Amino acid sequence: TSKSFDLLITGFILLNTVSLAVEHYDQSAAFVDALTVCNYIFSTVFLFEMILKLWGLGPREYASDKFNIFDGIIVTFSVIEISVDIYARSQGNEGQSTGLSALRTFRLMRVFKLARSWKDLQILLTTIIESVMQVANAALLLGVVMFIFTLLGMQLFGGKMKWYYYSTEPEPRAHFDTFWWSFVSVFQVLTGENWNDILYNTMWALAQPEESSHPAFAVLYFFILNIVGNYMIMNLFLAILLANFEGDDGDDDDEDEEGEEEEGGEGEAEKMASLDEDAAAATEAPAAAEASAAPAAGKDGGPPPPVVPREGSTNEYNASENSCFLLSGTSPVRVTCFKIVDHPWFDQLVLFLIALSSVLLAIDEPYVSRCKVDGGSCYTFGQVLLYLDWIISILFGLEMLLKIVALGLALHKGAYLRDGWNVLDSIIVIISFLSLSLGGAKAVKALRALRALRALKPLRVVRRYPGLRLVVNAIFRALPRVLNVSLVAMLFFVIFAIVGVQNFMGSMKHCNDESIEDRASCTGTFDLELDQCSFMPNEARETACVAGTDTEFPRVWEDVSPWNFDNLGRALLVLYEVASGEMWPDIMYDTINAAGVDEPMVEVDASWPQGTNYVTVSLYYIWVTVVLAFLMLNVFVGVVIDEYNQMKGEEDGSGLMSNKQKEWYQSMKMLSVMAPQVVMTKPIQKWRQGFFTLVEGRAFELLIMGAILLNTLCMSFRHYPESEAFGDAVEKVNFAFALFFALEALLKLIGLGHVQYFSVNWNRFDFVLVILSFVGRVANLGELASLFRIIRVARIVRLVRSSKQVMVLFNTLIYAMPSIINVGVVLLLLYFVMSIIGMNLFSGIKYGELLNEDANFDSFGKSFETLFRCSTGESFNGIMYDLMIQEPYCDPDDDFYGCGSEAIPPIFFTFFFTVQAYIFLNLIVAIILDVFGDVNGLANSLVTESHLDSFKAVWSHFDTNSNKWIDARHAKMIILETEYPLGLKGINDSKGYVKLAPLSPEQIEEMADAQMAEYDMKAYRHEAEFADRPDAVRSDGYVYEISFQDTLQAMANRVGKKHGGRTETLPPKIRSGLEQTLDRAKTKQISKKRKQGMVGEPISVAELEKMFAKDRVEEGPPSAETSQQLV
């Protein structure tokens, strides 16, 4: 039980893992014997450990620990394995199959013994086991669905995908002839990889004359399988699994919330107020300390600091320390240098140089670099770029020098190298000078590529923008946990990789001369056929091969496909590809065809696959996909989402808020951007009033929507080839629709008038489309005109407001867009940097199957386009393997047929794909989930969007000119006609108001009077010229008006105070920001003219009614027409 003993055993476990990981293809007999001895030693050590524990603890206590039981099982299998191995050697059966490979797999389980001392591994393993148990029902449902579709696939396609159907196409490997292979095919469809190939192959088979079925059955089958199996059941399984990974934190939060609710409203308010004070003290203390640091020096009698950093500066001037051992804090040279580097214009100049340098890096393509050295037609252009590069590098060097003089180098607080961003800048400057000085040497090509890191310098600006700062900080903050999870995930990768190495190394090889079948004979040279001339290492020899003058090529014993399990590194790379889901069926098929080390691959024929090997191999890849892709890589999702939520909570203070406060905060933010509805007024002319009633009617709107859908449907009938008569008919119908929409615009212009018509954005858009539809026939805009007509379908979005759930999803997209744009900007920077690095590392490499004219790194544009394609996961590994090409298939001295590296492409693509797919895209998922939670919570909060819409509708009845001001006399009617709880309409039907009996109209009016007395609703006194109607002028000659935002905020604040959503209880940072937002919303509604027309200070509406009680005119209930308009 001692720690020393545990550390000793942990050391042996690590050494045992290393001994398992060093196995590789072509290893010597002596190396194999050494590994066998190591296995005997480690097995003996672990057996001795078990005996000691049994002796010291006793069988009962030993068995009480689950890890001890696990250790005992592994040791038992190790003893069995060694016994079988010794017996096989004694019988001379060392090279024959004895089931030893299966027993060897249990050696790998020793790695999990690390969980005893590695707490993170222990927690993750426990979480995985618990999660798998909790998703058992979803897994069972998924299994049932797969079983049903397996049998259905056998029924529909079994025996029908005949080999000779595909004589001109690659024969299908996925079929439904047997139960197991049908199951594997269904699993492939659920992973989404190349499922369309299976669809097309089944459609082709069913379309043959021999078959009585129809291809439509294949379409229907795969459509339902994808919808039900992939989009519903599979995602449900993963969602439940992901929720369980975050379950512990959620349980803690729920317990805290329950505790808060039990304490009651006042207790919660006091508790939050206390938290607010603590948070405010914690937040303001550092700032206060920094702000008072400079004056404090003077108060103690010491000299005041010679210079103070400007507000918002990232520089820190430490006057008590010398700079570079020479310049004191009061040195005029140092002070001047600090004033220069701390000036805002200096930052702007540096940002300009960064932008210019980034543009030059993108322009400095490989052909330009060759021009700088070799000359040619672009020599002058290359020299200009070279001189600009030197100038910018020197300026960056001067920036670094000025900052070192001003701040000091590294030995004290605030020094230049104490800031991580400055460290990055200094590295980039040094590399820039090195790459420019040695630019002609090919040995430092990588140095030139590292100059691209200069593009990271704009990240300094990110700190000034909260949205971008949140993105970058969330990524960097998540890195420790991501690395921690990566180590645990790597453990599982290593286990599966070692299994792959032990079973498949050296078994997927052949000779490039197809006439040779064994490795021993694969020596010397052979003559290439015409279709093999692409093997030649350069263009000259390839041309000679085509001409038949140079066809000799060396024989090479090589991989059939780029992937292999020859060592741990290559096995890990293959498993990463499988986990990413890209091309994993092709890898599985090659592994099934493997016959043994250096044995010829199994031929694919009509009876493929045969034997039992395909069952174990396919099971291996299914387990790899489930464990690594579905389990481990989805842990990244949980980590990134969790870190984003924590970071967001700390960044904006929402981490200190309860759910009720969050809902209230979101409600207040939403109402701050509300504006009155634009109310269309009837024209004075009677002949126009009929047109007004027509175009403002619901039936007319639905008619236009239907016409838009029909017009779009008509455009979808176009096809190729089509008859001339059909094309003319479609054009005539489109012209008829153009006339119809022109008539719509004309009717609206007559009924609404040009001012009201063009005040609506949709009307402007429609009018432009109408004009373009006719101009397009004269100027022949072609497809552009059709595109504009299709865009008109966007008007259908107006109908989604009728569905609450659809509005939640729609608002989620709208509200998430700013944050997604922030992530997109940072992601664009990643693409930019990696494109330049890829262009510098991989340009000039010989093209292969997937590295070709369409996807390469020979220019910045192609490099960016290729990386974007790789980010979607489409054949990124194929491009990676093409970049790893080696001699004799390439010429290392050729600028266009050059060789690649076996190490750099895997690192480059693994890093890029991991950061882009598993971090950035998961960050977008986190943002959408966070916004969806806010919007969904907002739909169930005290003040919802429907309540605000009710307020807007009532307000618009009185605010006929939409100037956001109405007579203060209407305040009571606003309260009475706005939906409860914001107003009092429908209070008798509301479940949120507890009452013994329905309230009478008189009681509701009394409540309205009482609420007006409670409101902090201000009435503003304006000159009489601002009155909407003559009777709005009071007896003192002024008009008293209330504003839209002031009234709405007053009503919402009353709801919050009554139902626990008080703004005062919010954390200080959030409360301050919200108050500023609401004040800006109020101020924005006061025009300059109206502000000049204000007289005196505003007074409350309740006081106003008392002042002019004799002038008060009871409005009574609204008329039938008014009530209908309010509805």
Side-chain angles (χ1 to χ4, degrees):
T1 57
S2 66
K3 285 189 176 181
S4 300
F5 184 76
D6 286 342
L7 289 175
L8 179 64
I9 296 300
T10 301
F12 275 109
I13 294 172
L14 294 175
L15 290 174
N16 180 42
T17 305
V18 172
S19 71
L20 292 171
V22 295
E23 287 191 63
H24 58 276
Y25 172 62
D26 249 359
Q27 55 192 3
S28 64
F31 188 79
V32 174
D33 292 338
L35 292 181
T36 302
V37 172
C38 288
N39 180 43
Y40 291 166
I41 294 173
F42 291 128
S43 299
T44 303
V45 169
F46 296 132
L47 177 61
F48 182 68
E49 175 203 9
M50 185 180 74
I51 294 173
L52 280 180
K53 285 187 174 181
L54 283 169
W55 185 273
L57 300 175
R60 184 183 297 274
E61 188 172 350
Y62 178 86
S64 64
D65 190 339
K66 294 180 181 179
F67 278 104
N68 288 338
I69 297 175
F70 179 72
D71 292 346
I73 294 173
I74 295 175
V75 170
T76 302
F77 276 105
S78 298
V79 172
I80 295 174
E81 176 208 342
I82 293 174
S83 302
V84 173
D85 184 32
I86 294 175
Y87 177 77
R89 289 173 182 270
S90 66
Q91 297 297 317
N93 297 329
E94 184 178 349
Q96 300 179 14
S97 176
T98 59
L100 204 57
S101 59
L103 291 173
R104 261 196 213 116
T105 306
F106 285 95
R107 280 196 229 163
L108 299 172
M109 298 299 105
R110 295 174 186 166
V111 177
F112 290 112
K113 289 163 64 73
L114 290 172
R116 185 184 294 276
S117 55
W118 189 356
K119 295 302 180 185
D120 291 321
L121 174 60
Q122 185 176 344
I123 293 172
L124 191 58
L125 286 176
T126 304
T127 304
I128 290 175
I129 294 172
E130 292 177 353
S131 299
V132 170
M133 296 299 293
Q134 291 179 17
V135 298
N137 291 331
L140 179 62
L141 179 60
L142 179 61
V144 170
V145 170
M146 291 181 66
F147 180 77
I148 292 173
F149 277 95
T150 297
L151 297 179
L152 184 59
M154 294 176 64
Q155 185 69 29
L156 291 174
F157 316 120
K160 297 181 180 180
M161 301 173 69
K162 296 181 175 63
W163 196 252
Y164 53 84
Y165 288 168
Y166 307 91
S167 57
T168 59
E169 299 289 338
E171 295 80 4
R173 306 290 183 89
H175 55 71
F176 296 84
D177 293 349
T178 64
F179 175 81
W180 176 251
W181 207 243
S182 180
F183 182 86
V184 173
S185 299
V186 169
F187 182 79
Q188 179 182 340
V189 174
L190 292 183
T191 64
E193 178 57 19
N194 293 340
W195 71 271
N196 51 325
D197 289 342
I198 309 177
L199 167 65
Y200 298 144
N201 287 331
T202 53
M203 290 177 63
W204 177 261
L206 296 184
Q208 300 304 311
E210 297 180 25
E211 306 299 336
S212 58
S213 188
H214 193 277
F217 287 104
V219 176
L220 185 62
Y221 172 84
F222 286 98
F223 178 80
I224 297 175
L225 176 56
N226 270 295
I227 296 296
V228 176
N230 195 359
Y231 298 143
M232 295 176 63
I233 307 299
M234 180 68 79
N235 284 319
L236 175 65
F237 173 80
L238 296 178
I240 295 174
L241 190 65
L242 183 60
N244 286 325
F245 277 115
E246 300 178 353
D248 294 339
D249 294 337
D251 293 341
D252 294 340
D253 294 341
D254 292 341
E255 290 174 5
D256 293 342
E257 273 190 32
E258 289 175 5
E260 288 178 4
E261 290 176 1
E262 289 174 1
E263 290 177 13
E266 291 298 324
E268 179 182 356
E270 294 174 4
K271 189 174 182 180
M272 292 307 302
S274 175
L275 285 173
D276 294 345
E277 293 173 1
D278 295 341
T283 305
E284 296 169 3
E290 290 178 7
S292 61
K299 290 178 182 178
D300 296 338
V307 62
V308 178
R310 60 182 170 85
E311 184 179 355
S313 172
T314 57
N315 300 313
E316 182 179 350
Y317 191 81
N318 194 337
S320 61
E321 299 287 345
N322 291 340
S323 172
C324 304
F325 304 103
L326 298 175
L327 302 175
S328 66
T330 57
S331 169
V333 175
R334 184 180 175 187
V335 170
T336 303
C337 288
F338 184 84
K339 289 180 179 179
I340 293 174
V341 299
D342 202 53
H343 199 280
W345 286 7
F346 185 82
D347 279 348
Q348 298 301 320
L349 174 62
V350 171
L351 291 176
F352 170 75
L353 292 176
I354 291 170
L356 180 60
S357 175
S358 300
V359 172
L360 293 179
L361 283 170
I363 296 175
D364 193 7
E365 296 179 344
Y367 82 94
V368 177
S369 300
R370 288 191 291 270
C371 291
K372 295 177 184 177
V373 180
D374 301 332
S377 59
C378 59
Y379 178 74
T380 303
F381 180 63
Q383 290 300 305
V384 170
L385 290 183
L386 181 62
Y387 292 143
L388 286 175
D389 227 348
W390 270 107
I391 293 171
I392 292 175
S393 297
I394 291 172
L395 290 175
F396 280 126
L398 289 175
E399 175 207 4
M400 182 177 72
L401 183 62
L402 285 172
K403 285 190 173 182
I404 290 175
V405 172
L407 306 176
L409 184 60
L411 298 181
H412 58 263
K413 182 181 178 182
Y416 180 77
L417 294 181
R418 293 292 183 94
D419 188 336
W421 297 101
N422 290 335
V423 173
L424 177 64
D425 290 346
S426 62
I427 293 174
I428 293 169
V429 169
I430 293 171
I431 289 176
S432 297
F433 281 112
L434 284 175
S435 61
L436 287 170
S437 303
L438 306 173
K442 293 200 173 186
V444 293
K445 188 176 181 182
L447 285 177
R448 181 175 172 275
L450 290 176
R451 292 169 55 208
L453 290 176
R454 189 182 303 158
L456 293 175
K457 297 184 79 172
L459 286 177
R460 292 185 300 171
V461 186
V462 169
R463 291 178 288 181
R464 300 171 186 259
Y465 298 94
L468 296 181
R469 183 176 65 236
L470 178 63
V471 173
V472 176
N473 287 348
I475 293 172
F476 281 107
R477 175 169 172 169
L479 283 181
R481 285 186 63 187
V482 167
L483 291 175
N484 198 14
V485 172
S486 299
L487 290 175
V488 178
M490 181 59 69
L491 185 63
F492 286 89
F493 271 89
V494 167
I495 290 173
F496 281 106
I498 292 174
V499 172
V501 171
Q502 290 179 348
N503 291 277
F504 311 130
M505 64 176 176
S507 60
M508 293 186 286
K509 296 185 177 295
H510 74 153
C511 186
N512 60 353
D513 183 357
E514 296 178 358
S515 63
I516 303 298
E517 293 188 356
D518 61 287
R519 182 179 182 183
S521 303
C522 190
T523 57
T525 61
F526 71 106
D527 291 328
L528 295 177
E529 300 291 338
L530 183 62
D531 60 346
Q532 295 177 319
C533 288
S534 59
F535 287 5
M536 286 300 185
N538 53 51
E539 186 178 11
R541 292 199 63 189
E542 186 175 341
T543 304
C545 175
V546 173
T549 58
D550 183 7
T551 60
E552 189 176 5
F553 195 80
R555 290 191 179 101
V556 179
W557 187 253
E558 60 185 8
D559 298 316
V560 174
S561 299
W563 41 78
N564 62 62
F565 289 86
D566 290 352
N567 53 59
L568 182 67
R570 293 302 294 264
L572 287 173
L573 185 60
V574 171
L575 292 181
Y576 184 83
E577 298 169 53
V578 175
S580 71
E582 187 58 28
M583 297 172 67
W584 75 265
D586 298 319
I587 302 174
M588 179 181 67
Y589 300 149
D590 279 350
T591 311
I592 289 174
N593 293 336
V597 178
D598 290 336
E599 294 290 331
M601 300 282 284
V602 174
E603 293 293 332
V604 178
D605 54 24
S607 59
W608 188 91
Q610 301 178 18
T612 58
N613 178 52
Y614 74 92
V615 176
T616 55
V617 171
S618 55
L619 267 176
Y620 170 79
Y621 282 99
I622 289 175
W623 274 108
V624 167
T625 303
V626 170
V627 175
L628 298 185
F630 294 167
L631 289 179
M632 297 312 305
L633 292 183
N634 274 287
V635 175
F636 279 88
V637 182
V639 169
V640 174
I641 290 176
D642 189 42
E643 285 296 334
Y644 173 82
N645 290 334
Q646 289 186 21
M647 193 73 193
K648 182 175 180 292
E650 294 177 8
E651 184 80 10
D652 60 12
S654 61
L656 295 174
M657 291 195 293
S658 65
N659 284 338
K660 286 184 178 180
Q661 289 179 313
K662 290 178 181 178
E663 291 174 0
W664 175 250
Y665 173 66
Q666 294 296 331
S667 297
M668 297 303 288
K669 278 181 61 179
M670 183 172 64
L671 70 83
S672 68
V673 297
M674 286 288 171
Q677 292 178 352
V678 178
V679 179
M680 298 296 175
T681 56
K682 274 189 176 183
I684 300 175
Q685 300 87 345
K686 290 186 178 181
W687 68 274
R688 291 174 54 197
Q689 292 179 359
F691 292 101
F692 176 86
T693 304
L694 173 66
V695 298
E696 284 294 289
R698 180 69 171 173
F700 185 80
E701 180 72 10
L702 292 176
L703 175 64
I704 297 300
M705 294 296 177
I708 292 172
L709 290 177
L710 287 175
N711 187 19
T712 306
L713 183 64
C714 178
M715 288 189 287
S716 69
F717 289 157
R718 302 300 298 262
H719 60 277
Y720 179 83
E722 64 182 12
S723 64
E724 184 177 352
F726 183 85
D728 292 340
V730 171
E731 283 299 320
K732 290 178 181 178
V733 172
N734 283 333
F735 183 68
F737 278 113
L739 292 176
F740 178 82
F741 293 126
L743 178 62
E744 174 207 5
L746 179 62
L747 291 175
K748 286 187 174 181
L749 280 170
I750 296 173
L752 302 177
H754 68 281
V755 175
Q756 291 191 125
Y757 176 81
F758 287 109
S759 66
V760 180
N761 291 329
W762 280 113
N763 289 340
R764 295 180 202 159
F765 178 70
D766 289 342
F767 189 80
V768 171
L769 292 184
V770 169
I771 297 299
L772 287 176
S773 63
F774 290 100
V775 172
R777 295 183 175 274
V778 179
N780 191 20
L781 293 179
E783 299 300 326
L784 187 61
S786 298
L787 177 63
F788 281 123
R789 288 199 297 268
I790 294 173
I791 293 176
R792 184 185 274 126
V793 180
R795 288 176 61 180
I796 303 297
V797 174
R798 296 161 65 177
L799 297 179
V800 305
R801 299 182 65 88
S802 60
S803 172
K804 179 180 178 182
Q805 294 302 321
V806 174
M807 277 303 299
V808 169
L809 297 176
F810 184 74
N811 288 335
T812 298
L813 294 177
I814 299 299
Y815 296 153
M817 197 55 65
S819 297
I820 292 177
I821 291 175
N822 291 333
V823 177
V825 171
V826 182
L827 185 59
L828 188 65
L829 179 61
L830 173 70
Y831 279 109
F832 180 83
V833 174
M834 298 301 289
S835 296
I836 294 177
I837 293 177
M839 181 178 66
N840 283 274
L841 289 176
F842 307 132
S843 63
I845 294 179
K846 181 184 176 182
Y847 288 169
E849 181 182 358
L850 294 172
L851 183 72
N852 48 42
E853 292 82 0
D854 299 320
N856 58 66
F857 292 87
D858 293 340
S859 66
F860 175 77
K862 279 296 181 184
S863 180
F864 194 95
E865 181 183 336
T866 302
L867 282 184
F868 181 78
R869 167 184 163 176
C870 292
S871 66
T872 66
E874 182 55 34
S875 299
F876 80 93
N877 47 346
I879 298 175
M880 176 185 69
Y881 283 123
D882 282 347
L883 292 171
M884 297 167 65
I885 187 172
Q886 296 293 306
E887 296 183 273
Y889 296 98
C890 56
D891 186 351
D893 298 322
D894 196 294
D895 289 334
F896 301 99
Y897 281 69
C899 297
S901 167
E902 289 190 293
I904 295 178
I907 296 173
F908 177 89
F909 281 92
T910 302
F911 172 79
F912 173 75
F913 195 79
T914 300
V915 172
Q916 179 270 335
Y918 298 128
I919 295 181
F920 274 100
L921 293 188
N922 287 334
L923 192 58
I924 292 176
V925 172
I927 290 171
I928 293 176
L929 289 178
D930 179 63
V931 174
F932 178 76
D934 290 342
V935 173
N936 203 33
L938 195 60
N940 301 314
S941 61
L942 295 173
V943 180
T944 66
E945 192 167 6
S946 63
H947 298 134
L948 298 178
D949 288 341
S950 169
F951 175 85
K952 288 167 59 177
V954 177
W955 183 277
S956 64
H957 171 67
F958 302 105
D959 188 10
T960 55
N961 55 7
S962 301
N963 64 1
K964 303 174 185 176
W965 292 85
I966 63 173
D967 191 347
R969 301 180 192 189
H970 304 316
K972 182 177 178 180
M973 187 60 67
I974 294 289
I975 298 172
L976 289 172
E977 292 298 326
T978 300
E979 294 287 346
Y980 183 84
L982 194 59
L984 293 176
K985 184 178 181 180
I987 188 172
N988 285 325
D989 301 325
S990 173
K991 296 180 181 179
Y993 184 75
V994 181
K995 49 196 174 295
L996 297 177
L999 299 174
S1000 65
E1002 292 76 14
Q1003 290 175 314
I1004 294 177
E1005 285 208 22
E1006 291 177 3
M1007 290 182 66
D1009 292 330
Q1011 287 187 14
M1012 286 180 59
E1014 295 179 26
Y1015 286 153
D1016 184 24
M1017 189 188 302
K1018 301 296 184 182
Y1020 296 81
R1021 182 164 55 180
H1022 296 140
E1023 297 289 349
E1025 62 180 287
F1026 289 99
D1028 293 331
R1029 297 182 304 177
D1031 60 352
V1033 180
R1034 304 289 181 116
S1035 58
D1036 60 354
Y1038 294 102
V1039 57
Y1040 291 83
E1041 295 184 306
I1042 54 178
S1043 75
F1044 179 86
Q1045 273 290 331
D1046 208 7
T1047 306
L1048 180 57
Q1049 291 180 28
M1051 295 174 69
N1053 280 325
R1054 179 192 171 277
V1055 176
K1057 291 178 181 178
K1058 291 292 183 181
H1059 299 276
R1062 297 164 56 193
T1063 305
E1064 303 85 54
T1065 64
L1066 297 177
K1069 187 175 181 180
I1070 289 186
R1071 182 174 65 243
S1072 175
L1074 181 60
E1075 289 173 350
Q1076 291 177 8
T1077 300
L1078 296 176
D1079 288 341
R1080 280 196 301 269
K1082 292 180 182 179
T1083 306
K1084 190 177 179 181
Q1085 296 189 355
I1086 304 177
S1087 64
K1088 184 177 181 181
K1089 181 180 178 181
R1090 188 174 288 275
K1091 190 173 184 180
Q1092 292 174 349
M1094 288 184 181
V1095 179
E1097 294 295 325
I1099 61 174
S1100 69
V1101 175
E1103 292 179 5
L1104 177 67
E1105 292 303 314
K1106 292 179 181 178
M1107 288 172 53
F1108 296 98
K1110 62 180 180 179
D1111 296 338
R1112 183 175 179 181
V1113 178
E1114 293 294 339
E1115 297 175 333
S1119 63
E1121 181 182 359
T1122 300
S1123 298
Q1124 182 62 31
Q1125 291 180 3
L1126 292 179
V1127 171

